[in-house]
Amino acid sequence: MDDIGESSKSGSGISSPKSGKTECSREEDRNVKQVSPLRGGGSRNTSPLGRVGSRNTSPSRQKVVKTKPRGLDEETVATFGKAVHPDVQMEDNIWAMLPEDLLNEILARVPPFMIFRLRCVCKRWNSILQDGSFLKFHSQVPSHGPCLLTFWKNSQTPQCSVFSLPLKTWYRIPFTFLPPWAFWLVGSSGGLVCFSGLDGLTFKTLICNPLTQTWRTLPNMHYNQQRQLIMVVDRKDRSFKVIATSDIYGDKSLPTEVYDSKLNSWSIHQIMPAVNLCSSKMAYCDSKLYLETLSPLGMMMYRLDTGYWEHIPAKFPRSLLDGYLVAGTQKRLFLVGRIGLYSTLQSMRIWELDHAKIMWVEISRMPPKYFRALLRLSAERFECFGQDNLICFTSWNQGKGLLFDVDKKAWSWIGGCALQSYNSQVCFYEPRFDASIY
């Protein structure tokens, strides 16, 4: 199982390779040639804290210093202003005898992208990270927070980078564990990532966990054609579902199909009523799936609990050029799009659906300086997706993304090499070790 390799601070390029001292690190240097987000050391230390890094603990150094989170390279981490006192030297023989349950609880709180490097400390830690008791502790700690996952192919080799919003850092994740098919990114939910593609002439749906480097294909659908898919994970039930709607070529005679991981099978449901869809983009909110429609004007809504479609007559704002449906938290549904017929009068706006009045209410506008920087040409295309009241914008000709926090009304840029590929696909991602592909 390949380790997560390089990392870089938002806005910076890829850092130069460094070599570690452990056997696992040497294997990575030969195969992946990526830089670890954790520092290598000259001596082997099995301490959970001593392995991460060390500083001068001389009594003469008594002043408080500002430091970055230990274990990350100098050019990978944004500045943290928290004052930290020098560490106390710890005894290896004491930490080597740490009780199993206490070690599991400590490791469960380590940022997930660093745990891969901790596997190389010793065989004991490598086995613990695959143990059910560690996964139980990991499932009980707060989530690492939202991340952006970008996927692309370089010379037919799958590539993946993840930007951690809490750490403001890019991490490269090896994706060579996936089969060599022609597949594309569907989306992510609850720590799992869904792909669909072709194995020869056969349409396949693939589920994987990038952190555990595990994957599997789902059984074929009853009508096994290329379909619009969306995946949703139920963490409480420890299961997931995949919803297949219309055929990507516009065949409206196909019934809706739903895959249930607990049954490991597809079930057939109602055919979507004859409508003209605005786009293939879908949003899943409060156990309901939404799609934009031109005729009849509004949205189609699919209820997962009943398996039926119904029309929602929510009229779109006037002069809307292109719109994206984005799901938020607590039943919130957003519409994001450009307004204006002429390039000098265009603006990007965000609306929220008033479920009681069935109408869109404007809640924010993108500042002009961000709009001009994101879309330099009026005909330029952009992508938009969201999670947990965060909305991300990417443009095909930009090497950066724009993030909007709906709750804080704050805009910020996300830079880095991972968004520079013209054929990259992006989605929000929550890193979790306990997300099962079964």
Side-chain angles (χ1 to χ4, degrees):
M1 201 160 50
D2 294 326
D3 292 349
I4 290 181
E6 63 190 35
S7 67
S8 63
K9 179 180 176 181
S10 173
S12 64
I14 300 176
S15 54
S16 59
K18 300 177 183 178
S19 61
K21 297 298 181 183
T22 63
E23 181 178 352
C24 182
S25 299
R26 289 197 299 268
E27 183 178 352
E28 291 175 358
D29 293 339
R30 293 195 299 268
N31 300 332
V32 184
K33 295 185 179 180
Q34 296 171 339
V35 179
S36 165
L38 298 183
R39 284 184 175 275
S43 62
R44 182 163 182 153
N45 188 348
T46 58
S47 164
L49 298 180
R51 177 67 181 177
V52 177
S54 61
R55 294 191 298 277
N56 183 9
T57 58
S58 170
S60 62
R61 186 177 183 179
Q62 296 296 333
K63 66 178 181 178
V64 175
V65 296
K66 292 184 177 180
T67 182
K68 61 184 179 63
R70 293 162 25 209
L72 297 181
D73 293 336
E74 295 289 344
E75 55 189 58
T76 66
V77 184
T79 302
F80 286 72
K82 183 179 179 181
V84 179
H85 293 276
D87 293 336
V88 177
Q89 189 68 31
M90 294 177 295
E91 297 293 335
D92 289 352
N93 59 342
I94 297 178
W95 285 96
M97 302 302 295
L98 199 66
E100 200 81 4
D101 57 343
L102 185 56
L103 180 59
N104 283 331
E105 191 165 354
I106 293 174
L107 293 179
R109 285 164 170 76
V110 176
F113 301 112
M114 301 179 186
I115 294 185
F116 276 85
R117 295 298 299 174
L118 297 181
R119 296 184 312 160
C120 302
V121 174
C122 60
K123 293 181 179 179
R124 180 191 177 199
W125 282 26
N126 184 42
S127 62
I128 286 177
L129 297 178
Q130 305 173 32
D131 187 73
S133 59
F134 163 76
L135 297 178
K136 181 180 178 180
F137 277 106
H138 178 73
S139 65
Q140 295 172 352
V141 300
S143 170
H144 171 76
C147 301
L148 290 177
L149 183 145
T150 64
F151 173 81
W152 73 99
K153 284 194 174 183
N154 184 11
S155 301
Q156 300 304 314
T157 301
Q159 306 285 338
C160 177
S161 290
V162 174
F163 180 76
S164 168
L165 292 177
L167 297 180
K168 302 293 188 295
T169 308
W170 282 103
Y171 294 92
R172 179 68 61 85
I173 299 182
F175 255 50
T176 53
F177 68 95
L178 294 180
W181 300 343
F183 50 81
W184 50 91
L185 178 66
V186 171
S188 175
S189 177
L192 298 180
V193 180
C194 180
F195 293 91
S196 64
L198 296 174
D199 178 15
L201 298 178
T202 305
F203 180 70
K204 296 285 188 180
T205 306
L206 182 148
I207 304 294
C208 74
N209 184 331
L211 287 185
T212 60
Q213 304 276 279
T214 56
W215 67 276
R216 75 178 180 102
T217 56
L218 302 186
N220 290 341
M221 291 178 282
H222 296 84
Y223 298 85
N224 201 47
Q225 302 180 33
Q226 289 183 260
R227 310 278 287 272
Q228 301 293 344
L229 304 174
I230 190 168
M231 178 185 64
V232 293
V233 171
D234 186 342
R235 285 194 58 199
K236 294 182 179 179
D237 198 29
R238 299 185 61 85
S239 65
F240 65 89
K241 289 182 171 65
V242 178
I243 307 172
T245 59
S246 61
D247 178 81
I248 65 170
Y249 299 110
D251 186 351
K252 298 180 175 61
S253 63
L254 295 178
T256 303
E257 298 194 38
V258 178
Y259 173 82
D260 190 332
S261 63
K262 293 188 297 183
L263 303 175
N264 193 31
S265 62
W266 294 86
S267 56
I268 299 178
H269 299 272
Q270 181 190 16
I271 297 176
M272 183 193 300
V275 295
N276 290 325
L277 298 176
C278 287
S279 70
S280 61
K281 300 298 181 181
M282 302 180 287
Y284 184 82
C285 176
D286 190 30
S287 300
K288 303 177 184 68
L289 181 64
Y290 294 89
L291 295 92
E292 302 172 66
T293 61
L294 282 175
S295 177
L297 190 62
M299 297 182 295
M300 291 301 299
M301 180 182 71
Y302 177 76
R303 293 183 177 272
L304 188 59
D305 54 349
T306 64
Y308 287 98
W309 292 90
E310 62 180 88
H311 178 247
I312 306 297
K315 295 184 179 179
F316 297 122
R318 296 184 59 184
S319 303
L320 180 66
L321 297 179
D322 39 26
Y324 287 86
L325 293 175
V326 177
T329 59
Q330 299 179 347
K331 304 181 181 181
R332 302 181 72 179
L333 183 65
F334 304 110
L335 174 66
V336 181
R338 280 185 291 189
I339 287 287
L341 299 178
Y342 304 99
S343 59
T344 57
L345 302 177
Q346 286 185 5
S347 64
M348 190 79 72
R349 305 186 188 186
I350 302 173
W351 299 265
E352 183 175 354
L353 180 65
D354 186 326
H355 293 274
K357 298 180 180 179
I358 314 181
M359 62 180 298
W360 294 104
V361 179
E362 183 177 331
I363 61 172
S364 185
R365 297 188 183 187
M366 182 182 293
K369 63 176 182 179
Y370 290 112
F371 181 76
R372 290 192 297 267
L374 181 71
L375 300 174
R376 290 170 293 185
L377 302 175
S378 60
E380 199 165 12
R381 295 186 60 180
F382 74 97
E383 293 287 335
C384 178
F385 49 93
Q387 176 181 298
D388 296 337
N389 293 347
L390 295 175
I391 302 176
C392 185
F393 301 81
T394 60
S395 175
W396 284 21
N397 294 326
Q398 292 282 2
K400 57 186 176 181
L402 181 61
L403 187 70
F404 176 62
D405 190 317
V406 176
D407 297 327
K408 297 179 181 179
K409 305 293 183 182
W411 299 84
S412 58
W413 289 108
I414 300 174
C417 60
L419 289 176
Q420 293 178 356
S421 178
Y422 73 94
N423 62 345
S424 63
Q425 305 164 62
V426 192
C427 70
F428 274 101
Y429 167 65
E430 178 189 4
R432 300 208 62 89
F433 282 95
D434 59 325
S436 174
I437 60 176
Y438 294 97

